[in-house]
Amino acid sequence: MSNLAIKPNITPPKMTKSVKDLAVIILAAGKGTRMKSSLPKVLHKIAGEPMIRHILKTAESLKPSKIITVISEGMDDVKAAVAPHPTAIQKQQRGTGDAVKSAIAELGDFKGQVLVLYGDVPLVSKDTLEALINHHRLGKDLGATVLAMAAPDPTGYGRIFQNGDGTLNRIVEEKDANDDERLVRLVNSGLMVMEGDGLADRLERIGNKNAQKEFYLVDLPTIFKEDDLATGVIRGDFTELKGVNSRAQLADLEALWQHRKRLAIMDDGVTLLDPHTTYFAADTKIGRDTIIGPSVIFGPNVEIEDNVEIRAFSHIEGAKIKSGATIGPFARIRPDTVIEQDARIGNFVEVKNAHIKEGAKANHLGYIGDAELGAHSNFGCGAITVNYDGQKKSKTIIGDNVMIGSNSSLIAPIEIGNGAYIAAGSTLSKDVEQDALVIARAETKSLAGKAKGKLKS
Ligand code: UD1
Ligand code: CA
């Protein structure tokens, strides 16, 4: 993972907060209209996993005593996505301050620090959040600390103004800012940590006299100031604090996630021949000295051991692939597949719900579905398992050291014994005994001279 440009701009005097306990509130009540979707924004996926799950995992890594997600009414699927962590419902979206207020009942009488995260800022790192919390805990008389960032284009963000000692003077929302204020590029990421003790009362004191008639969380520093508490400012890296408001921004964060994952995977000892074209899922696991060719895509639930070779243009999901196996180029491995040691799946072979045993081969053009291919067996070019009769799926079980001749069709349910040899072009509808040689095709007839005149010249 990249080094983060965290530069605390003041050196806070040492003073630890009396209560060191963390609660996290994740704001996710926003409908995300600009996504133009029937799905709540935070359920849109990055690396195959809903955004909210990314931020939830990062929040969990901080080991807080509570994580409360603020949702709006009817967002049951978001509630399910964060379970068993609790949710709080914000009845109307009246601003970020009001959203935090909705979580107060669930927060109870919490006296530690409250970290506010956004469900649509999913890739903020644990390091950055720890830096924010530490800055706050070590600061003198800080009621809150905000995470700021230098934005290449500050449009849409709240602008941050600091006092001479680096503490926060004020945050001015874009819509409330004058022309001079809008020139400022230091902006509010929205993420903030604050003292929980007395928070409920302070939130009540936030008003909505502003351009949007909303209850702004960014007005909390003013309330703290009335109580002689300052607000700290720490800077984070703009890239990781990016939010998602549109599909284009979603694609942007997907790219960022993939970039980080590629670096992490290579760091773990995996060779990526063309990293920019390899796509991982959130849970992809790959062992050392595995080599991955260009344009390989991993769907969810893939585990690959050491010393595997995945050649170009392969698509793999829901599979476990063991040491020494070779996959592709152009292979498609579908869910519930296990490929054992030293097995080979070659080009244009599709494998689904199958167990390919040690040293078995299916090198060209085939379909192996709902099947077992025994150890050291050879599944010839163009052979297929006929697993579906239009109503139900059936199993094909192929023993060890079996030869399935090219272009054979194995009509399931069917079992082929160890050591059997199936002649090319066979269509099998009956079980085969072990060591049997089976030829199940029409015999070749050759009629001398009869071809003449058959083809118009
Ligand atoms: C907010 C900040 C702004 C900051 C920006 C960073 C305020 C007033 N402004 O802007 O300073 O630069 O974030 O992106 O805090 N949400 C709710 N309920 C609401 C409103 C929002 O749950 O009533 C949630 C949204 O789902 C989202 C987050 O809060 O996850 C931020 O809301 P959004 O409307 O994007 O923030 P802004 O007001 O634009
Ligand atoms: Ca926003």
Side-chain angles (χ1 to χ4, degrees), residues 31-47:
K31 295 255 163 29
T33 34
R34 276 186 284 163
M35 296 297 282
K36 299 194 178 128
S37 174
S38 50
L39 200 65
K41 177 159 71 176
V42 296
L43 293 183
H44 283 264
K45 290 176 176 174
I46 291 174

Side-chain angles (χ1 to χ4, degrees), residues 68 106 136 210 223 249 295 379-381 417:
I68 303 161
E106 188 63 51
H136 179 75
N210 52 55
I223 309 287
Q249 287 169 336
S295 295
F379 198 83
C381 174

Side-chain angles (χ1 to χ4, degrees), residues 34 41 118 120 156-157 243-245:
R34 276 186 284 163
K41 177 159 71 176
Y118 287 0
D120 57 0
Y157 292 108
V244 175
N245 295 302

